[in-house]
């Protein structure tokens, strides 16, 4: 933490310079933590008089668009030239909730070629060595860490009600509603402070959890009833979802958020993997219980990574082959990382 505080002080001094232009970038397929962090940080920079633009390599999901300043986000898919220009003109790029430019989709090469300063604020392992690395894998979420960054640089008064709502969104969603990754007292101290500073928890929960569409419930219901299988030899739940199913149930970005966690509610299931056919690739989501490192499985076989209990990856193979590969590599994973596991 001492090292992080030193880096924050260095950033504070850099941000005290006049006429800075900055850019904020979340990861591809941004989630509640990434979008919450972008919203909170954009609001704080704005209040501090620092020019900032949120640039996304894809599109922010509709279910998070109630967060302030997300309406100003510029998509590289729609305005590539404008994104390139803003990046070229920026003094500083903030990479939020990701540890490498590889998680920036089509923006990756633009950001890689950028010669100004980069700041990572994140909680994934092994961050890239950029100019300012503010990273702590112990925190629940990037938003929890961002609370400290904002407080140290601009003071507690910079955390308005809207900033508190955005930060809490990240803490809540990245922990599955304070379910996993949330056993440190510090997380609850941050939430307590956010409540004192004007967090409207009921409003955040209503926006996050009470704006469902029936078609979303049916998509999730169909996945659990008709698609979920258990590996014949290992305690692994697998949920494949086809493009046709997404179309049939009027899929919107974020509709499958949380589904992969549900199989872990079964006592015997130790790992849950959702395999979703997206436009041009297959996306995998891994979740696990206890100290089972599913990020190693994602990294070794599916070009991905992430946290011990929540990781992701992708493949360009057809869905059915990816499902087969998951089944085939289960033995490798359990032998490498759970040698004690006795399969039935
Ligand atoms: P999700 O399953 O929610 O998409 O992702 C779970 C976690 O894995 C997130 O913390 C995310 O940052 C990480 N993750 C997801 N996809 C990838 C990927 O393709 N590469 C890497 N390195 N991490 C990923
Ligand atoms: Mn996160």
């Amino acid at each position: 933490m001492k090292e992080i505080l030193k880096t924050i002080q260095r950033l504070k001094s850099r941000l005290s310079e006049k006429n800075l232009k900055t850019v904020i970038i979340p990861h591809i397929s941004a989630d509640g933590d990434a979008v919450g962090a972008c919203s909170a940080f954009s609001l704080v920079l704005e209040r501090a008089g620092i020019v900032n633009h949120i640039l996304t390599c894809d599109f922010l999901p509709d279910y998070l668009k109630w967060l302030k300043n997300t309406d100003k986000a510029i998509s590289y898919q729609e305005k590539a030239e404008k994104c390139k220009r803003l990046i070229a003109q920026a003094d500083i790029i903030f990479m939020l909730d990701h540890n490498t430019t590889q998680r920036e989709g089509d923006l990756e090469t633009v950001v890689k070629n950028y010669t100004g300063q980069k700041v990572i604020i994140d909680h994934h392992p092994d961050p890239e060595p950029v100019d300012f690395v503010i990273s702590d894998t112990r925190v629940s979420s990037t938003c929890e860490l961002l609370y400290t960054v904002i407080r140290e640089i601009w003071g507690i008064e910079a955390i308005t009600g809207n900033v508190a709502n955005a930060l809490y969104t990240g803490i809540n969603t990245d922990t599955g509603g304070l379910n996993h990754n949330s056993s440190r007292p510090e997380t609850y101290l941050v939430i307590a402070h956010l409540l004192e500073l004007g967090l409207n928890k009921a409003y955040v929960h209503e926006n996050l959890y009470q704006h469902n569409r029936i078609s979303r419930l049916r998509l999730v219901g169909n996945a659990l009833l008709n698609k979920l299988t258990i590996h014949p030899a290992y305690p692994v739940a697998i949920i494949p979802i086809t493009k046709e199913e997404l179309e049939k149930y009027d899929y919107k970005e974020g509709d499958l958020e949380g589904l992969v966690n549900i199989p872990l509610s079964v006592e015997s299931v130790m790992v849950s993997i959702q395999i979703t056919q997206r436009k041009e690739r297959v996306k995998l989501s891994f979740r696990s219980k206890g100290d089972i490192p599913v990020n190693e499985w994602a990294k070794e076989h599916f070009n991905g990574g992430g946290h011990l209990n929540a990781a992701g990856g992708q493949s360009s193979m057809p869905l059915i082959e990816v499902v087969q590969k998951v089944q085939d590599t289960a033995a490798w994973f359990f032998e490498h990382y759970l040698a004690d596991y006795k399969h039935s």
Side-chain angles (χ1 to χ4, degrees), residues 79-315:
K79 296 186 175 165
E81 289 312 312
K82 186 167 186 184
C83 288
K84 282 185 194 158
R85 195 176 67 243
L86 288 169
I87 287 175
Q89 291 169 350
D91 301 294
I92 304 172
I93 291 180
F94 294 98
M95 298 164 57
L96 300 189
D97 197 34
H98 58 292
N99 54 359
T100 160
T101 51
Q102 284 172 23
R103 299 267 294 135
E104 295 177 356
D106 292 342
L107 275 173
E108 178 184 351
T109 40
V110 188
V111 175
K112 260 193 180 149
N113 293 331
Y114 163 82
T115 51
Q117 288 184 312
K118 288 181 206 149
V119 180
I120 285 179
I121 305 177
D122 184 44
H123 64 135
H124 293 91
D126 309 320
E128 268 175 15
V130 299
D131 305 272
F132 299 85
V133 177
I134 301 171
S135 171
D136 187 348
T137 55
R138 295 168 308 168
V139 296
S140 64
S141 52
T142 293
C143 280
E144 181 184 331
L145 182 59
L146 191 56
Y147 164 86
T148 305
V149 175
I150 296 170
R151 193 195 58 201
E152 293 296 312
I153 298 182
W154 293 283
I156 208 81
E157 57 281 4
I159 302 180
T160 60
N162 285 330
V163 173
N165 287 347
L167 293 177
Y168 179 70
T169 295
I171 297 173
N172 182 283
T173 56
D174 246 28
T175 57
L178 298 173
N179 187 351
H180 46 82
N181 238 5
S182 47
S183 298
R184 294 164 65 249
E186 287 87 342
T187 305
Y188 298 87
L189 290 173
V190 170
I191 295 171
H193 287 151
L194 292 178
L195 285 165
E196 283 172 349
L197 293 164
L199 160 63
N200 188 339
K201 189 166 157 289
Y203 170 76
V204 174
H205 278 240
E206 187 190 316
N207 275 289
L208 286 177
Y209 302 116
Q210 293 173 2
H211 285 183
N212 262 342
R213 284 165 295 107
I214 288 290
S215 60
R216 181 194 175 191
L217 295 192
R218 298 212 191 283
L219 173 68
V220 171
N222 176 63
L224 292 172
L225 182 63
N226 299 317
K227 307 306 302 289
L228 169 68
T229 59
I230 304 293
H231 194 288
Y234 296 96
V236 178
I238 301 173
I239 313 176
I241 298 176
T242 65
K243 207 155 58 181
E244 290 71 31
E245 284 159 340
L246 296 181
E247 277 161 20
K248 181 175 174 194
Y249 295 106
D250 188 28
Y251 174 78
K252 300 268 183 300
E253 203 65 51
D255 276 359
L256 291 169
E257 206 66 42
L259 169 64
V260 65
N261 296 308
I262 297 175
L264 294 181
S265 65
V266 177
E267 192 177 1
S268 59
V269 173
M270 304 309 284
V271 173
S272 174
I273 306 173
Q274 181 188 316
I275 311 168
T276 316
Q277 190 183 354
R278 305 302 295 272
K279 272 157 246 152
E280 66 297 333
R281 68 195 171 112
V282 170
K283 162 100 184 75
L284 296 98
S285 276
F286 292 75
R287 298 291 184 274
S288 68
K289 285 180 184 165
D291 54 5
I292 301 176
V294 276
N295 49 353
E296 300 294 343
W297 197 347
K299 193 159 84 182
E300 180 72 21
H301 292 287
F302 299 98
N303 196 25
H307 311 278
L308 191 87
N309 296 128
Q314 55 245 299
S315 171

Side-chain angles (χ1 to χ4, degrees), residues 36-93:
C38 287
S39 165
F41 205 50
S42 171
L43 288 167
V44 169
L45 288 176
E46 197 174 82
R47 189 172 171 275
I50 298 174
V51 173
N52 70 89
H53 293 275
I54 302 172
L55 306 187
T56 62
C57 64
D58 46 11
F59 295 95
L60 298 182
D62 286 344
Y63 79 101
L64 294 168
K65 286 194 175 154
W66 54 276
L67 286 164
K68 299 286 182 260
N69 278 12
T70 55
D71 54 335
K72 293 189 197 160
I74 305 168
S75 167
Y76 189 74
Q77 301 305 321
E78 280 182 341
K79 296 186 175 165
E81 289 312 312
K82 186 167 186 184
C83 288
K84 282 185 194 158
R85 195 176 67 243
L86 288 169
I87 287 175
Q89 291 169 350
D91 301 294
I92 304 172
I93 291 180

Side-chain angles (χ1 to χ4, degrees), residues 326-339:
V326 164
Q327 285 175 343
D328 294 347
T329 52
W332 166 86
F333 179 68
F334 276 80
E335 268 147 40
H336 263 77
Y337 295 99
L338 283 139

